[in-house]
Amino acid sequence: MTQFNPLTVAVQMDPMDGINIAGDSTFHIMLAGQARGHKLYHYLAPDLTYRDGRVLAKARPVQVQKVQGDHFVLGDWEMLDLGRDVDVVLMRQDPPFDLSYITATHLLERVQAETLVVNDPASVRDAPEKLFVLDYAHFMPPTMITRDLAEVKSFLAEHGEIVVKPLYGNGGVAVFHVGANGANLSSLVELFKEKWVEPFMVQAFIPGVAEGDKRIVLVDGEVMGAVNRIPGKGEIRSNLAVGGSAAKTELTDREREICAALGPELKARGLLFVGIDVIGGEWLTEINVTSPTGIVSIEAFDGTDTGGMIWDAIDVRLAARAAD
């Protein structure tokens, strides 16, 4: 039996009672870590405190088990010094990617010299999903980021059908398909401008989305698996959270080319667990670095231990830090 060095791990995530353990990647990573003997703590982003040069988290030890509704047991509150008391911090709370989220990255960046934070908080802050991907525009469908209705109308006229979505959205929320007649486009743009202060993203509609939106997981820059997410009836959104279904899949040559192009940069930025989205086997749409999902479905189809692979990559990172 493989012997693992037990670690103390603080997990910054959403409340434990609200997660769906059947598909939650963070819970799955916690299970894999606990199986290796790691001591886990749970805390929320608002539980962070900066005091006299130290970053603290009001946290509780947690044990997890694969029983929905009885999937966790929390211990008594402790005040952890994230630089001194833990080996690893997993930054895994879901977006919105707002000022609260950005503030958490700034605070966690201050413990990086002492404790490994996954994913690297500065890189998470500098690589929001729908902006970082612009570095790889040659792999993307035609894309616009704007608040200008005239520009959107011009883009629609050029491409026939478009998709409009918030720049910092997640989980398929507020993703709209606009047909060639542009019905309600003006009202939609007005709504986006009222709801969000930042610009929004507009992309040419890719009909291949009906055949699925592939989530490919990379761990420290290497492909660890993929799952095809197929939209529900009458939907263009394939996110599992909004009714999409998962299917076994393989990578196309184009997708391997995309992963080969992204991998070294992800590794260099300390983005250890990343999920990219590809439509039609060729069109890159997002690089998810905040709290990517998909590993539960991948393991179910491929029989891989993706959670274990993530911990293996963490061990390699820790060993490299110790050797410096």
Side-chain angles (χ1 to χ4, degrees):
M1 179 180 293
T2 304
Q3 296 294 314
F4 299 106
N5 180 37
L7 303 172
T8 301
V9 181
V11 186
Q12 178 175 307
M13 59 181 292
D14 298 321
M16 291 293 300
D17 56 1
I19 62 176
N20 175 13
I21 69 170
D24 190 274
S25 291
T26 305
F27 184 81
H28 197 72
I29 295 169
M30 293 170 75
L31 280 174
Q34 183 176 271
R36 294 184 175 213
H38 301 339
K39 183 173 184 179
L40 305 177
Y41 284 86
H42 172 273
Y43 74 92
L44 307 178
D47 295 325
L48 288 171
T49 295
Y50 173 87
R51 180 175 178 177
D52 298 330
R54 307 304 301 176
V55 178
L56 313 174
K58 187 179 180 182
R60 301 170 75 178
V62 60
Q63 293 183 315
V64 291
Q65 61 180 2
K66 218 171 181 179
V67 181
Q68 183 68 55
D70 188 25
H71 53 278
F72 68 98
V73 177
L74 291 169
D76 294 333
W77 290 103
E78 300 180 32
M79 188 62 82
L80 298 179
D81 183 317
L82 293 182
R84 294 171 178 162
D85 298 335
V86 303
D87 302 297
V88 179
V89 173
L90 298 182
M91 185 177 183
R92 290 286 306 172
Q93 88 266 21
D94 288 338
F97 191 83
D98 55 13
L99 284 175
S100 174
Y101 204 108
I102 291 171
T103 300
T105 67
H106 280 292
L107 292 177
L108 290 181
E109 190 177 3
R110 293 180 175 275
V111 307
Q112 277 282 66
E114 300 170 281
T115 299
L116 177 65
V117 183
V118 177
N119 286 326
D120 180 282
S123 292
V124 168
R125 184 175 65 245
D126 293 342
E129 351 275 28
K130 296 181 183 68
L131 290 175
F132 178 31
V133 70
L134 301 179
D135 288 354
Y136 303 91
H138 55 294
F139 293 125
M140 297 177 67
T143 297
M144 168 183 286
I145 295 176
T146 188
R147 285 174 62 86
D148 190 307
L149 176 59
E151 289 297 320
V152 180
K153 287 182 175 180
S154 173
F155 193 83
L156 174 63
E158 179 180 356
H159 297 289
E161 295 179 78
I162 59 174
V163 172
V164 183
K165 51 189 174 182
L167 200 57
Y168 297 109
N170 68 297
V173 174
V175 176
F176 293 90
H177 174 216
V178 179
N181 64 4
N184 294 318
L185 178 59
S186 296
S187 295
L188 180 61
V189 170
E190 289 172 6
L191 177 64
F192 269 63
K193 291 170 73 171
E194 181 178 335
K195 175 70 174 176
W196 292 285
V197 297
E198 64 270 4
F200 46 88
M201 176 172 274
V202 186
Q203 291 183 314
F205 176 68
I206 305 300
V209 72
E211 299 172 7
D213 178 358
K214 196 173 296 184
R215 165 58 55 88
I216 305 171
V217 168
L218 296 96
V219 176
D220 217 13
E222 300 292 331
V223 175
M224 290 302 166
V227 61
N228 196 29
R229 302 171 301 175
I230 302 171
K233 185 177 180 180
E235 272 281 4
I236 65 162
R237 301 177 300 172
S238 58
N239 308 71
L240 302 183
V242 294
S245 60
K248 184 176 176 62
T249 191
E250 301 291 338
L251 297 191
T252 65
D253 290 342
R254 173 71 164 183
E255 288 165 343
R256 294 188 184 281
E257 180 187 357
I258 292 171
C259 292
L262 269 61
E265 183 65 17
L266 299 178
K267 185 179 181 71
R269 288 180 179 234
L271 296 170
L272 189 142
F273 177 18
V274 173
I276 69 170
D277 297 336
V278 182
I279 294 175
E282 61 176 320
W283 298 107
L284 176 67
T285 58
E286 292 188 16
I287 303 173
N288 298 277
V289 304
T290 49
S291 59
T293 61
I295 65 174
V296 177
S297 295
I298 290 171
E299 290 195 7
F301 289 119
D302 297 347
T304 55
D305 180 14
T306 309
M309 294 174 185
I310 291 170
W311 286 111
D312 288 343
I314 287 172
D315 287 340
V316 169
R317 288 273 176 170
L318 288 172
R321 289 165 66 98
D324 286 344

